[in-house]
Amino acid sequence: MKFIPAVAAISSILCATPFASADSLHTHWEKFKAHRAFHHLSADGQRAFQDILKARDILQTTGKTEAAIPALYDAQKRLAAAQKADKKFQAAENDLHPAPQHPVIANHQPVVGQTDWLPVGGEFVVSETLAPEKKAAVATANAQLKSGNTDQAAQTMQVVGADADFIMALAPLTPVQGAVYRATVFTEGHNPQEAVAALTQALESVVFVSESTIETLAPAAPASAKK
């Protein structure tokens, strides 16, 4: 199994799309499942992680703290919006089952107890035994998803049909908010190395799970119910 670092994995699956339609009951059912998984994703969560990746890249490659500030402010705003929305799930991390395609990394710090998980990305994956033309179609579809071309990806997935699984990236909301806040403070204080470390911690907190796992998670309690 090829290991994929957390940062690279997150960067590769920040978009997703439903399966394309076909004229069979089975494929329509698979389309429904994938469509539901797609709507689990948090638009604000996806945008926040794009901002996190952007800020981290700026700080790591240039060290220019002023240039990273807008992305960090936007990430904070997006995470706050995601916290108020219903596109999150409540679960203990030890109840999650990481997808074998993206196991947790050595530096991953598990969250203790129940917490809100934010679905921030997704991708289609296939087995090694799948026909070469279907593997190529999935690779093309995932590239189209990453570019935001969901309609094109849906057309491409017609070649694959139901022979693909849907993997989702879950981020623990509160720890990520804390990491982004610390990164912002360090950046405002012109300390890019510490800011990069905080953002890396946010990225490494992500857990990749199968769509079937998402279906077993409990919806997060509304903000007004948490006293």
Side-chain angles (χ1 to χ4, degrees), residues 39-92:
H39 280 86
H40 281 318
L41 298 179
S42 166
D44 285 309
Q46 288 177 289
R47 178 61 182 271
F49 268 77
Q50 290 169 351
D51 288 327
I52 290 170
L53 286 165
K54 180 180 179 180
R56 183 181 180 275
D57 182 63
I58 292 172
L59 293 167
Q60 194 169 42
T61 59
T62 71
K64 296 180 179 179
T65 52
E66 294 83 358
I69 287 293
L72 290 171
Y73 285 173
D74 191 64
Q76 287 185 321
K77 180 180 69 175
R78 297 287 177 176
L79 289 170
Q83 187 175 28
K84 297 176 182 178
D86 60 357
K87 299 296 180 66
K88 58 184 183 291
F89 305 88
Q90 192 171 87

Side-chain angles (χ1 to χ4, degrees), residues 11-49:
S11 180
S12 69
I13 68 168
L14 282 176
C15 298
T17 190
F19 283 89
S21 60
D23 295 329
S24 73
L25 178 62
H26 179 69
T27 305
H28 277 298
W29 173 246
E30 292 298 326
K31 172 188 173 183
F32 170 76
K33 286 175 61 182
H35 183 74
R36 184 175 58 219
F38 172 64
H39 280 86
H40 281 318
L41 298 179
S42 166
D44 285 309
Q46 288 177 289
R47 178 61 182 271
F49 268 77

Side-chain angles (χ1 to χ4, degrees), residues 104-123:
V104 295
I105 65 172
N107 293 333
H108 177 79
Q109 298 182 9
V111 179
V112 178
Q114 294 279 326
T115 192
D116 289 345
W117 295 87
L118 194 64
V120 297
E123 71 174 354

Side-chain angles (χ1 to χ4, degrees), residues 97-215:
H97 303 285
Q101 297 87 350
H102 296 296
V104 295
I105 65 172
N107 293 333
H108 177 79
Q109 298 182 9
V111 179
V112 178
Q114 294 279 326
T115 192
D116 289 345
W117 295 87
L118 194 64
V120 297
E123 71 174 354
F124 292 106
V125 295
V126 294
S127 68
E128 292 297 325
T129 59
L130 199 65
E133 63 272 16
K134 290 190 175 184
K135 288 183 181 180
V138 170
T140 299
N142 281 332
Q144 291 166 334
L145 296 178
K146 186 177 178 181
S147 300
N149 297 320
T150 55
D151 290 339
Q152 293 180 18
Q155 291 295 321
T156 303
M157 286 301 293
Q158 288 184 10
V159 176
V160 183
D163 296 324
D165 194 10
F166 192 68
I167 301 299
M168 301 184 72
L170 293 181
L173 183 54
T174 300
V176 169
Q177 286 179 309
V180 172
Y181 174 77
R182 293 194 304 274
T184 303
V185 172
F186 287 131
T187 303
E188 291 174 337
H190 305 287
N191 191 339
Q193 291 183 338
E194 294 293 338
V196 167
L199 294 176
T200 299
Q201 186 177 11
L203 294 169
E204 291 177 346
S205 70
V206 172
V207 177
F208 301 88
V209 302
S210 172
E211 185 264 345
S212 60
T213 300
I214 297 291
E215 296 177 348

